[in-house]
Amino acid sequence: MAIFKTLGHLALRVNDLDASVAFYNKIGFPEMLRLLNDKGDPWIVYHRITDELYLELFPGGDGEMVSPPERTGLMHLCLTVDDIDVAEVELKKVGVELMRPRDSKRGLDGNRGMWIEDPDGRQIEIMEMAPNCIQAEAVRNLQADGRPRALSLS
């Protein structure tokens, strides 16, 4: 039985609220709401990802990311796009550079991807999902018989 409808929001503690707000606005997630504390300072800044998915930015980071990729915790965020080539051009137009040059080949999962990072160094994967990728096939299988699959990529 599915209890939950969808993921509602992601909450990130940030070091420089203004820089983070500007970054997430720049990549297409507009600020939609600020909750202020009793002193009138921002407590949470909400950015719209979709009508049902939000990003919450909390000020007051301590200068170091709590969970870099090698540690237990949030490893990275993934954003999906219809066309990765268009996405790369649009990101460059607003001054967002890739972490490393994009590989022209598809990944082992059949998708195309590239990486950026936010002002606090969080890695953000950008993925163009192929209709026949392993994740889409796994969803179809799960819908068909309710069982997860294991897949060896070697």
Side-chain angles (χ1 to χ4, degrees), residues 2 6 21 24 47 55 63-64 66 69-70 73 84 86-87 93 95 108 113 116 120-121 124 126 128 141 146 153:
T6 186
V21 166
Y24 286 103
H47 287 259
L55 179 65
E64 271 193 53
V66 174
E70 298 77 27
I84 203 157
V86 169
K93 281 184 189 175
L108 293 173
I116 61 175
D120 290 304
I124 301 172
I126 300 169
E128 178 188 303
N141 288 336
L153 295 178

PDB file of all heavy atoms in Angstrom, residues 2 6 21 24 47 55 63-64 66 69-70 73 84 86-87 93 95 108 113 116 120-121 124 126 128 141 146 153:
ATOM      1  N   ALA A   2       0.673   2.150  -0.931  1.00  0.00           N
ATOM      2  CA  ALA A   2       1.438   3.386  -0.998  1.00  0.00           C
ATOM      3  C   ALA A   2       0.807   4.422  -0.066  1.00  0.00           C
ATOM      4  O   ALA A   2      -0.345   4.789  -0.231  1.00  0.00           O
ATOM      5  CB  ALA A   2       1.472   3.908  -2.422  1.00  0.00           C
ATOM      6  N   THR A   6       4.127  11.928  -2.823  1.00  0.00           N
ATOM      7  CA  THR A   6       5.349  12.355  -3.486  1.00  0.00           C
ATOM      8  C   THR A   6       6.292  12.970  -2.457  1.00  0.00           C
ATOM      9  O   THR A   6       5.907  13.177  -1.307  1.00  0.00           O
ATOM     10  CB  THR A   6       5.050  13.377  -4.612  1.00  0.00           C
ATOM     11  OG1 THR A   6       6.250  13.663  -5.321  1.00  0.00           O
ATOM     12  CG2 THR A   6       4.475  14.674  -4.068  1.00  0.00           C
ATOM     13  N   VAL A  21      20.175  31.840  -2.671  1.00  0.00           N
ATOM     14  CA  VAL A  21      18.923  32.289  -3.293  1.00  0.00           C
ATOM     15  C   VAL A  21      19.187  32.678  -4.744  1.00  0.00           C
ATOM     16  O   VAL A  21      18.459  32.275  -5.655  1.00  0.00           O
ATOM     17  CB  VAL A  21      18.298  33.460  -2.495  1.00  0.00           C
ATOM     18  CG1 VAL A  21      17.214  34.164  -3.297  1.00  0.00           C
ATOM     19  CG2 VAL A  21      17.743  32.963  -1.162  1.00  0.00           C
ATOM     20  N   TYR A  24      19.830  29.404  -6.937  1.00  0.00           N
ATOM     21  CA  TYR A  24      18.638  28.601  -7.246  1.00  0.00           C
ATOM     22  C   TYR A  24      17.650  29.379  -8.116  1.00  0.00           C
ATOM     23  O   TYR A  24      16.984  28.791  -8.973  1.00  0.00           O
ATOM     24  CB  TYR A  24      18.010  28.035  -5.970  1.00  0.00           C
ATOM     25  CG  TYR A  24      18.864  26.910  -5.432  1.00  0.00           C
ATOM     26  CD1 TYR A  24      19.704  27.097  -4.342  1.00  0.00           C
ATOM     27  CD2 TYR A  24      18.895  25.678  -6.073  1.00  0.00           C
ATOM     28  CE1 TYR A  24      20.525  26.074  -3.892  1.00  0.00           C
ATOM     29  CE2 TYR A  24      19.714  24.650  -5.626  1.00  0.00           C
ATOM     30  CZ  TYR A  24      20.532  24.859  -4.536  1.00  0.00           C
ATOM     31  OH  TYR A  24      21.351  23.844  -4.109  1.00  0.00           O
ATOM     32  N   HIS A  47      11.830  27.952  -2.485  1.00  0.00           N
ATOM     33  CA  HIS A  47      11.952  28.037  -3.943  1.00  0.00           C
ATOM     34  C   HIS A  47      11.042  26.979  -4.555  1.00  0.00           C
ATOM     35  O   HIS A  47      10.968  25.850  -4.065  1.00  0.00           O
ATOM     36  CB  HIS A  47      13.402  27.775  -4.382  1.00  0.00           C
ATOM     37  CG  HIS A  47      14.313  28.910  -4.061  1.00  0.00           C
ATOM     38  ND1 HIS A  47      14.699  29.819  -4.998  1.00  0.00           N
ATOM     39  CD2 HIS A  47      14.898  29.288  -2.892  1.00  0.00           C
ATOM     40  CE1 HIS A  47      15.493  30.713  -4.428  1.00  0.00           C
ATOM     41  NE2 HIS A  47      15.624  30.401  -3.149  1.00  0.00           N
ATOM     42  N   LEU A  55      12.035  23.669  -2.527  1.00  0.00           N
ATOM     43  CA  LEU A  55      13.354  23.659  -1.919  1.00  0.00           C
ATOM     44  C   LEU A  55      13.315  24.683  -0.794  1.00  0.00           C
ATOM     45  O   LEU A  55      12.903  25.821  -1.005  1.00  0.00           O
ATOM     46  CB  LEU A  55      14.407  24.051  -2.960  1.00  0.00           C
ATOM     47  CG  LEU A  55      15.854  24.125  -2.500  1.00  0.00           C
ATOM     48  CD1 LEU A  55      16.348  22.746  -2.093  1.00  0.00           C
ATOM     49  CD2 LEU A  55      16.725  24.685  -3.602  1.00  0.00           C
ATOM     50  N   GLY A  63      29.897  26.793   7.558  1.00  0.00           N
ATOM     51  CA  GLY A  63      31.087  26.882   6.715  1.00  0.00           C
ATOM     52  C   GLY A  63      31.516  25.572   6.103  1.00  0.00           C
ATOM     53  O   GLY A  63      32.226  25.564   5.120  1.00  0.00           O
ATOM     54  N   GLU A  64      31.121  24.444   6.684  1.00  0.00           N
ATOM     55  CA  GLU A  64      31.497  23.158   6.110  1.00  0.00           C
ATOM     56  C   GLU A  64      30.260  22.351   5.814  1.00  0.00           C
ATOM     57  O   GLU A  64      29.327  22.327   6.611  1.00  0.00           O
ATOM     58  CB  GLU A  64      32.365  22.359   7.088  1.00  0.00           C
ATOM     59  CG  GLU A  64      33.823  22.653   6.938  1.00  0.00           C
ATOM     60  CD  GLU A  64      34.660  21.634   7.687  1.00  0.00           C
ATOM     61  OE1 GLU A  64      34.475  20.426   7.473  1.00  0.00           O
ATOM     62  OE2 GLU A  64      35.493  22.068   8.485  1.00  0.00           O
ATOM     63  N   VAL A  66      28.015  19.338   5.850  1.00  0.00           N
ATOM     64  CA  VAL A  66      27.916  18.259   6.830  1.00  0.00           C
ATOM     65  C   VAL A  66      28.126  16.901   6.191  1.00  0.00           C
ATOM     66  O   VAL A  66      28.733  16.024   6.763  1.00  0.00           O
ATOM     67  CB  VAL A  66      26.538  18.312   7.545  1.00  0.00           C
ATOM     68  CG1 VAL A  66      26.352  17.117   8.455  1.00  0.00           C
ATOM     69  CG2 VAL A  66      26.417  19.603   8.334  1.00  0.00           C
ATOM     70  N   PRO A  69      30.167  13.954  -0.374  1.00  0.00           N
ATOM     71  CA  PRO A  69      29.821  12.685  -1.021  1.00  0.00           C
ATOM     72  C   PRO A  69      30.422  11.434  -0.399  1.00  0.00           C
ATOM     73  O   PRO A  69      29.846  10.370  -0.503  1.00  0.00           O
ATOM     74  CB  PRO A  69      30.338  12.872  -2.443  1.00  0.00           C
ATOM     75  CG  PRO A  69      30.372  14.328  -2.656  1.00  0.00           C
ATOM     76  CD  PRO A  69      30.674  14.936  -1.302  1.00  0.00           C
ATOM     77  N   GLU A  70      31.551  11.555   0.272  1.00  0.00           N
ATOM     78  CA  GLU A  70      32.187  10.369   0.846  1.00  0.00           C
ATOM     79  C   GLU A  70      31.621  10.011   2.212  1.00  0.00           C
ATOM     80  O   GLU A  70      31.970   8.994   2.788  1.00  0.00           O
ATOM     81  CB  GLU A  70      33.697  10.592   0.981  1.00  0.00           C
ATOM     82  CG  GLU A  70      34.396  10.828  -0.322  1.00  0.00           C
ATOM     83  CD  GLU A  70      34.188  12.235  -0.867  1.00  0.00           C
ATOM     84  OE1 GLU A  70      33.955  13.182  -0.091  1.00  0.00           O
ATOM     85  OE2 GLU A  70      34.246  12.382  -2.096  1.00  0.00           O
ATOM     86  N   GLY A  73      25.011  10.501   4.452  1.00  0.00           N
ATOM     87  CA  GLY A  73      24.146  11.675   4.382  1.00  0.00           C
ATOM     88  C   GLY A  73      23.765  11.951   2.943  1.00  0.00           C
ATOM     89  O   GLY A  73      23.905  11.096   2.068  1.00  0.00           O
ATOM     90  N   ILE A  84      19.548  17.644 -22.546  1.00  0.00           N
ATOM     91  CA  ILE A  84      20.734  18.033 -21.786  1.00  0.00           C
ATOM     92  C   ILE A  84      21.588  19.056 -22.528  1.00  0.00           C
ATOM     93  O   ILE A  84      22.226  19.908 -21.913  1.00  0.00           O
ATOM     94  CB  ILE A  84      21.555  16.787 -21.363  1.00  0.00           C
ATOM     95  CG1 ILE A  84      22.407  17.149 -20.158  1.00  0.00           C
ATOM     96  CG2 ILE A  84      22.370  16.237 -22.514  1.00  0.00           C
ATOM     97  CD1 ILE A  84      22.813  15.986 -19.331  1.00  0.00           C
ATOM     98  N   VAL A  86      20.462  21.510 -24.477  1.00  0.00           N
ATOM     99  CA  VAL A  86      19.805  22.796 -24.239  1.00  0.00           C
ATOM    100  C   VAL A  86      20.078  23.258 -22.814  1.00  0.00           C
ATOM    101  O   VAL A  86      20.379  24.427 -22.567  1.00  0.00           O
ATOM    102  CB  VAL A  86      18.284  22.696 -24.515  1.00  0.00           C
ATOM    103  CG1 VAL A  86      17.549  23.932 -24.030  1.00  0.00           C
ATOM    104  CG2 VAL A  86      18.029  22.450 -25.994  1.00  0.00           C
ATOM    105  N   ALA A  87      19.987  22.344 -21.855  1.00  0.00           N
ATOM    106  CA  ALA A  87      20.229  22.690 -20.453  1.00  0.00           C
ATOM    107  C   ALA A  87      21.639  23.230 -20.253  1.00  0.00           C
ATOM    108  O   ALA A  87      21.841  24.222 -19.531  1.00  0.00           O
ATOM    109  CB  ALA A  87      19.994  21.472 -19.559  1.00  0.00           C
ATOM    110  N   LYS A  93      24.556  30.395 -20.119  1.00  0.00           N
ATOM    111  CA  LYS A  93      24.023  31.750 -20.324  1.00  0.00           C
ATOM    112  C   LYS A  93      23.856  32.502 -19.015  1.00  0.00           C
ATOM    113  O   LYS A  93      24.006  33.720 -18.977  1.00  0.00           O
ATOM    114  CB  LYS A  93      22.657  31.694 -21.027  1.00  0.00           C
ATOM    115  CG  LYS A  93      22.708  31.483 -22.498  1.00  0.00           C
ATOM    116  CD  LYS A  93      21.287  31.542 -23.054  1.00  0.00           C
ATOM    117  CE  LYS A  93      21.225  31.122 -24.493  1.00  0.00           C
ATOM    118  NZ  LYS A  93      19.832  31.080 -24.988  1.00  0.00           N
ATOM    119  N   GLY A  95      25.663  31.871 -16.316  1.00  0.00           N
ATOM    120  CA  GLY A  95      26.917  31.851 -15.576  1.00  0.00           C
ATOM    121  C   GLY A  95      27.141  30.648 -14.685  1.00  0.00           C
ATOM    122  O   GLY A  95      27.991  30.690 -13.795  1.00  0.00           O
ATOM    123  N   LEU A 108      25.951   4.089 -17.736  1.00  0.00           N
ATOM    124  CA  LEU A 108      25.584   2.678 -17.679  1.00  0.00           C
ATOM    125  C   LEU A 108      24.072   2.477 -17.590  1.00  0.00           C
ATOM    126  O   LEU A 108      23.556   1.446 -17.988  1.00  0.00           O
ATOM    127  CB  LEU A 108      26.251   2.004 -16.475  1.00  0.00           C
ATOM    128  CG  LEU A 108      27.771   1.876 -16.535  1.00  0.00           C
ATOM    129  CD1 LEU A 108      28.304   1.342 -15.222  1.00  0.00           C
ATOM    130  CD2 LEU A 108      28.171   0.975 -17.686  1.00  0.00           C
ATOM    131  N   GLY A 113      24.124  12.667 -18.638  1.00  0.00           N
ATOM    132  CA  GLY A 113      24.211  13.474 -17.435  1.00  0.00           C
ATOM    133  C   GLY A 113      25.375  14.434 -17.418  1.00  0.00           C
ATOM    134  O   GLY A 113      26.310  14.335 -18.221  1.00  0.00           O
ATOM    135  N   ILE A 116      26.792  20.085 -11.783  1.00  0.00           N
ATOM    136  CA  ILE A 116      27.103  21.434 -11.328  1.00  0.00           C
ATOM    137  C   ILE A 116      27.173  21.381  -9.805  1.00  0.00           C
ATOM    138  O   ILE A 116      26.910  20.337  -9.211  1.00  0.00           O
ATOM    139  CB  ILE A 116      26.057  22.476 -11.800  1.00  0.00           C
ATOM    140  CG1 ILE A 116      24.661  22.143 -11.261  1.00  0.00           C
ATOM    141  CG2 ILE A 116      26.057  22.585 -13.323  1.00  0.00           C
ATOM    142  CD1 ILE A 116      23.590  23.186 -11.569  1.00  0.00           C
ATOM    143  N   ASP A 120      27.453  26.193  -1.786  1.00  0.00           N
ATOM    144  CA  ASP A 120      28.039  25.487  -0.649  1.00  0.00           C
ATOM    145  C   ASP A 120      28.777  24.219  -1.062  1.00  0.00           C
ATOM    146  O   ASP A 120      29.220  23.445  -0.212  1.00  0.00           O
ATOM    147  CB  ASP A 120      26.954  25.146   0.377  1.00  0.00           C
ATOM    148  CG  ASP A 120      26.450  26.389   1.075  1.00  0.00           C
ATOM    149  OD1 ASP A 120      27.286  27.114   1.657  1.00  0.00           O
ATOM    150  OD2 ASP A 120      25.240  26.659   1.034  1.00  0.00           O
ATOM    151  N   GLY A 121      28.889  23.974  -2.361  1.00  0.00           N
ATOM    152  CA  GLY A 121      29.628  22.820  -2.852  1.00  0.00           C
ATOM    153  C   GLY A 121      28.817  21.547  -2.970  1.00  0.00           C
ATOM    154  O   GLY A 121      29.368  20.480  -3.222  1.00  0.00           O
ATOM    155  N   ILE A 124      25.150  18.684  -7.813  1.00  0.00           N
ATOM    156  CA  ILE A 124      23.835  18.582  -8.426  1.00  0.00           C
ATOM    157  C   ILE A 124      24.004  17.888  -9.764  1.00  0.00           C
ATOM    158  O   ILE A 124      24.698  18.387 -10.651  1.00  0.00           O
ATOM    159  CB  ILE A 124      23.184  19.965  -8.612  1.00  0.00           C
ATOM    160  CG1 ILE A 124      23.054  20.671  -7.253  1.00  0.00           C
ATOM    161  CG2 ILE A 124      21.832  19.836  -9.311  1.00  0.00           C
ATOM    162  CD1 ILE A 124      22.609  22.111  -7.337  1.00  0.00           C
ATOM    163  N   ILE A 126      22.569  16.632 -13.273  1.00  0.00           N
ATOM    164  CA  ILE A 126      21.532  16.995 -14.231  1.00  0.00           C
ATOM    165  C   ILE A 126      21.442  15.841 -15.211  1.00  0.00           C
ATOM    166  O   ILE A 126      22.444  15.439 -15.806  1.00  0.00           O
ATOM    167  CB  ILE A 126      21.867  18.313 -14.938  1.00  0.00           C
ATOM    168  CG1 ILE A 126      21.979  19.418 -13.888  1.00  0.00           C
ATOM    169  CG2 ILE A 126      20.820  18.641 -15.991  1.00  0.00           C
ATOM    170  CD1 ILE A 126      22.552  20.693 -14.377  1.00  0.00           C
ATOM    171  N   GLU A 128      19.295  13.702 -18.335  1.00  0.00           N
ATOM    172  CA  GLU A 128      18.307  13.503 -19.386  1.00  0.00           C
ATOM    173  C   GLU A 128      17.970  12.014 -19.385  1.00  0.00           C
ATOM    174  O   GLU A 128      18.793  11.186 -19.759  1.00  0.00           O
ATOM    175  CB  GLU A 128      18.882  13.925 -20.745  1.00  0.00           C
ATOM    176  CG  GLU A 128      17.934  13.707 -21.901  1.00  0.00           C
ATOM    177  CD  GLU A 128      18.607  13.947 -23.235  1.00  0.00           C
ATOM    178  OE1 GLU A 128      19.153  15.050 -23.467  1.00  0.00           O
ATOM    179  OE2 GLU A 128      18.616  12.998 -24.057  1.00  0.00           O
ATOM    180  N   ASN A 141       8.469  -2.655 -14.431  1.00  0.00           N
ATOM    181  CA  ASN A 141       8.444  -3.979 -13.801  1.00  0.00           C
ATOM    182  C   ASN A 141       7.739  -3.931 -12.449  1.00  0.00           C
ATOM    183  O   ASN A 141       6.941  -4.819 -12.127  1.00  0.00           O
ATOM    184  CB  ASN A 141       9.861  -4.522 -13.620  1.00  0.00           C
ATOM    185  CG  ASN A 141      10.498  -4.927 -14.926  1.00  0.00           C
ATOM    186  OD1 ASN A 141       9.817  -5.235 -15.895  1.00  0.00           O
ATOM    187  ND2 ASN A 141      11.824  -4.900 -14.970  1.00  0.00           N
ATOM    188  N   GLY A 146       4.893  -5.704  -8.870  1.00  0.00           N
ATOM    189  CA  GLY A 146       5.147  -5.281  -7.495  1.00  0.00           C
ATOM    190  C   GLY A 146       6.461  -5.750  -6.903  1.00  0.00           C
ATOM    191  O   GLY A 146       6.684  -5.592  -5.712  1.00  0.00           O
ATOM    192  N   LEU A 153      25.632  -4.678 -13.403  1.00  0.00           N
ATOM    193  CA  LEU A 153      26.139  -3.840 -14.477  1.00  0.00           C
ATOM    194  C   LEU A 153      27.497  -4.327 -14.982  1.00  0.00           C
ATOM    195  O   LEU A 153      28.080  -3.715 -15.858  1.00  0.00           O
ATOM    196  CB  LEU A 153      26.256  -2.388 -13.992  1.00  0.00           C
ATOM    197  CG  LEU A 153      24.919  -1.738 -13.655  1.00  0.00           C
ATOM    198  CD1 LEU A 153      25.131  -0.337 -13.134  1.00  0.00           C
ATOM    199  CD2 LEU A 153      24.007  -1.723 -14.861  1.00  0.00           C
TER     200      LEU A 153
END
